[in-house]
Coordinates of all heavy atoms in Angstrom, one line a residue:
P55 N 24.5 72.9 -60.6 CA 25.3 72.4 -59.5 C 25.0 70.9 -59.3 O 24.1 70.4 -60.0 CB 24.9 73.2 -58.3 CG 23.6 73.7 -58.6 CD 23.5 73.9 -60.1
D56 N 25.7 70.2 -58.5 CA 25.6 68.8 -58.3 C 24.2 68.3 -57.9 O 23.8 67.2 -58.3 CB 26.6 68.3 -57.2 CG 28.0 68.4 -57.7 OD1 28.3 68.5 -58.9 OD2 28.9 68.4 -56.8
C57 N 23.5 69.1 -57.2 CA 22.1 68.7 -56.8 C 21.1 68.7 -57.9 O 20.0 68.3 -57.8 CB 21.6 69.5 -55.6 SG 21.4 71.3 -56.0
G58 N 21.5 69.1 -59.1 CA 20.6 69.0 -60.3 C 19.7 70.2 -60.5 O 18.8 70.2 -61.3
Q59 N 19.9 71.2 -59.7 CA 19.1 72.4 -59.7 C 19.8 73.6 -60.4 O 21.0 73.7 -60.3 CB 18.7 72.9 -58.3 CG 17.9 71.9 -57.6 CD 16.5 71.5 -58.2 OE1 15.8 72.4 -58.6 NE2 16.2 70.3 -58.3
F60 N 19.1 74.4 -61.2 CA 19.7 75.5 -61.8 C 19.8 76.7 -60.8 O 19.0 76.9 -59.9 CB 18.8 76.0 -63.0 CG 18.8 75.1 -64.1 CD1 17.8 74.2 -64.4 CD2 19.9 75.1 -65.0 CE1 17.8 73.3 -65.4 CE2 19.9 74.2 -66.1 CZ 18.8 73.4 -66.3
K61 N 20.9 77.4 -60.9 CA 21.2 78.5 -60.1 C 20.4 79.8 -60.6 O 20.0 79.8 -61.8 CB 22.6 78.9 -60.1 CG 23.5 77.8 -59.5 CD 25.0 78.2 -59.6 CE 25.9 77.1 -59.0 NZ 27.3 77.5 -59.1
N62 N 20.2 80.7 -59.8 CA 19.5 82.0 -60.2 C 20.2 82.6 -61.3 O 19.6 83.2 -62.2 CB 19.3 82.9 -59.0 CG 18.2 82.5 -58.1 OD1 17.3 81.8 -58.5 ND2 18.3 82.9 -56.8
A63 N 21.6 82.6 -61.3 CA 22.4 83.2 -62.4 C 22.1 82.5 -63.7 O 22.1 83.2 -64.8 CB 23.9 83.1 -62.0
T64 N 21.7 81.3 -63.7 CA 21.4 80.6 -65.0 C 20.1 81.1 -65.5 O 20.0 81.4 -66.8 CB 21.3 79.1 -64.7 OG1 22.5 78.6 -64.2 CG2 20.9 78.3 -66.0
F65 N 19.1 81.4 -64.7 CA 17.9 82.0 -65.2 C 18.1 83.4 -65.7 O 17.4 83.8 -66.6 CB 16.8 81.9 -64.1 CG 16.4 80.5 -63.8 CD1 16.7 79.8 -62.6 CD2 15.6 79.8 -64.7 CE1 16.3 78.5 -62.3 CE2 15.2 78.5 -64.5 CZ 15.6 77.9 -63.3
E66 N 19.0 84.1 -65.0 CA 19.3 85.5 -65.5 C 19.9 85.4 -66.9 O 19.6 86.2 -67.8 CB 20.2 86.2 -64.5 CG 19.5 86.5 -63.2 CD 20.4 87.0 -62.1 OE1 21.6 87.2 -62.4 OE2 20.0 87.1 -61.0
K67 N 20.9 84.5 -67.1 CA 21.5 84.3 -68.4 C 20.5 83.9 -69.5 O 20.5 84.3 -70.6 CB 22.6 83.3 -68.4 CG 23.8 83.7 -67.6 CD 24.8 82.6 -67.5 CE 26.0 82.9 -66.6 NZ 26.9 81.7 -66.4
L68 N 19.6 83.0 -69.1 CA 18.5 82.5 -69.9 C 17.6 83.7 -70.4 O 17.3 83.8 -71.6 CB 17.7 81.4 -69.2 CG 16.5 80.8 -70.0 CD1 17.0 80.2 -71.3 CD2 15.9 79.8 -69.1
A69 N 17.2 84.5 -69.4 CA 16.4 85.7 -69.8 C 17.1 86.6 -70.7 O 16.5 87.1 -71.7 CB 16.0 86.4 -68.5
L70 N 18.4 86.8 -70.5 CA 19.2 87.7 -71.4 C 19.2 87.1 -72.8 O 19.1 87.8 -73.8 CB 20.6 87.9 -70.8 CG 21.5 88.8 -71.6 CD1 20.9 90.2 -71.7 CD2 22.8 88.8 -71.0
K71 N 19.4 85.8 -72.9 CA 19.5 85.1 -74.2 C 18.2 85.3 -75.0 O 18.2 85.5 -76.2 CB 19.9 83.7 -74.1 CG 21.4 83.5 -73.8 CD 21.7 82.0 -73.8 CE 21.9 81.5 -75.2 NZ 23.2 81.0 -75.5
I72 N 17.1 85.1 -74.3 CA 15.8 85.2 -74.9 C 15.5 86.6 -75.3 O 15.0 86.9 -76.4 CB 14.7 84.6 -74.0 CG1 14.9 83.1 -73.8 CG2 13.3 85.0 -74.6 CD1 13.9 82.5 -72.8
I73 N 15.9 87.6 -74.5 CA 15.7 89.0 -74.9 C 16.5 89.4 -76.1 O 16.1 90.1 -76.9 CB 16.0 89.9 -73.6 CG1 14.9 89.7 -72.6 CG2 16.1 91.4 -74.0 CD1 15.2 90.4 -71.2
Q74 N 17.7 88.8 -76.2 CA 18.6 89.1 -77.3 C 18.0 88.5 -78.6 O 18.1 89.0 -79.7 CB 20.0 88.5 -77.1 CG 20.8 89.3 -76.1 CD 22.1 88.6 -75.7 OE1 22.3 87.4 -75.9 NE2 23.0 89.4 -75.1
T75 N 17.3 87.3 -78.4 CA 16.7 86.7 -79.6 C 15.4 87.4 -80.0 O 15.1 87.5 -81.2 CB 16.4 85.2 -79.2 OG1 17.6 84.6 -78.8 CG2 15.8 84.4 -80.4
F76 N 14.6 87.8 -79.0 CA 13.3 88.5 -79.2 C 13.4 89.9 -78.5 O 13.0 90.0 -77.4 CB 12.2 87.7 -78.6 CG 12.1 86.3 -79.1 CD1 12.6 85.2 -78.3 CD2 11.5 86.0 -80.3 CE1 12.6 83.9 -78.8 CE2 11.4 84.7 -80.8 CZ 12.0 83.6 -80.0
P77 N 13.9 90.9 -79.3 CA 14.2 92.2 -78.7 C 13.0 92.9 -78.0 O 13.1 93.7 -77.1 CB 14.7 93.0 -79.8 CG 15.2 92.0 -80.8 CD 14.4 90.8 -80.6
N78 N 11.8 92.6 -78.5 CA 10.6 93.2 -77.9 C 10.1 92.5 -76.7 O 9.0 92.8 -76.1 CB 9.5 93.4 -78.9 CG 9.9 94.3 -80.0 OD1 10.6 95.3 -79.8 ND2 9.4 94.1 -81.2
C79 N 10.7 91.4 -76.3 CA 10.3 90.6 -75.2 C 10.6 91.2 -73.9 O 11.6 92.0 -73.7 CB 11.1 89.3 -75.3 SG 10.7 88.1 -74.1
T80 N 9.8 91.0 -72.9 CA 9.9 91.6 -71.6 C 10.1 90.6 -70.5 O 9.7 90.8 -69.3 CB 8.7 92.5 -71.2 OG1 7.5 91.6 -71.3 CG2 8.5 93.6 -72.2
L81 N 10.8 89.5 -70.8 CA 11.0 88.4 -69.8 C 12.0 88.8 -68.8 O 12.9 89.6 -69.0 CB 11.6 87.2 -70.5 CG 10.7 86.3 -71.3 CD1 11.5 85.2 -72.0 CD2 9.7 85.6 -70.3
T82 N 11.8 88.2 -67.6 CA 12.8 88.4 -66.5 C 13.2 87.0 -66.1 O 12.7 86.0 -66.5 CB 12.1 89.1 -65.3 OG1 11.1 88.2 -64.8 CG2 11.5 90.4 -65.7
A83 N 14.2 87.0 -65.2 CA 14.7 85.7 -64.7 C 13.6 85.0 -63.9 O 13.5 83.8 -64.0 CB 15.9 85.9 -63.8
K84 N 12.8 85.8 -63.2 CA 11.6 85.2 -62.5 C 10.7 84.5 -63.5 O 10.2 83.4 -63.2 CB 10.9 86.2 -61.7 CG 9.8 85.7 -60.9 CD 9.1 86.7 -60.0 CE 8.0 86.2 -59.2 NZ 7.3 87.2 -58.5
H85 N 10.4 85.1 -64.6 CA 9.5 84.4 -65.6 C 10.1 83.1 -66.0 O 9.4 82.1 -66.2 CB 9.3 85.3 -66.8 CG 8.5 86.5 -66.5 ND1 8.9 87.8 -66.8 CD2 7.2 86.7 -66.1 CE1 8.0 88.7 -66.5 NE2 7.0 88.0 -66.0
C86 N 11.4 83.1 -66.3 CA 12.1 81.9 -66.8 C 12.1 80.8 -65.7 O 11.9 79.6 -66.0 CB 13.6 82.2 -67.2 SG 13.7 83.2 -68.6
K87 N 12.3 81.2 -64.4 CA 12.3 80.2 -63.4 C 10.9 79.6 -63.2 O 10.8 78.4 -63.0 CB 12.7 80.9 -62.1 CG 13.0 80.0 -60.9 CD 13.6 80.7 -59.7 CE 14.0 79.7 -58.7 NZ 14.8 80.4 -57.6
N88 N 9.9 80.4 -63.3 CA 8.5 79.9 -63.3 C 8.2 79.0 -64.4 O 7.5 78.0 -64.3 CB 7.5 81.1 -63.2 CG 7.5 81.8 -61.8 OD1 7.9 81.2 -60.8 ND2 7.1 83.0 -61.8
K89 N 8.6 79.4 -65.6 CA 8.4 78.5 -66.8 C 9.0 77.2 -66.6 O 8.4 76.1 -66.9 CB 8.9 79.3 -68.1 CG 8.7 78.5 -69.4 CD 7.2 78.5 -69.7 CE 7.0 78.1 -71.1 NZ 5.6 78.0 -71.5
H90 N 10.3 77.2 -66.2 CA 11.0 75.9 -65.9 C 10.2 75.1 -64.9 O 10.0 73.9 -65.1 CB 12.4 76.2 -65.4 CG 13.1 75.0 -65.0 ND1 13.3 74.7 -63.7 CD2 13.8 74.1 -65.7 CE1 14.0 73.5 -63.6 NE2 14.3 73.2 -64.8

Side-chain angles (χ1 to χ4, degrees):
D56 292 343
C57 63
Q59 299 296 315
F60 289 101
K61 297 179 182 179
N62 286 335
T64 302
F65 290 110
E66 290 169 10
K67 290 177 188 175
L68 180 59
L70 183 59
K71 285 185 79 120
I72 293 174
I73 289 169
Q74 289 171 342
T75 304
F76 305 98
N78 295 328
C79 182
T80 59
L81 278 173
T82 65
K84 183 178 178 182
H85 291 123
C86 292
K87 191 171 189 174
N88 288 339
K89 183 70 167 176
H90 174 259

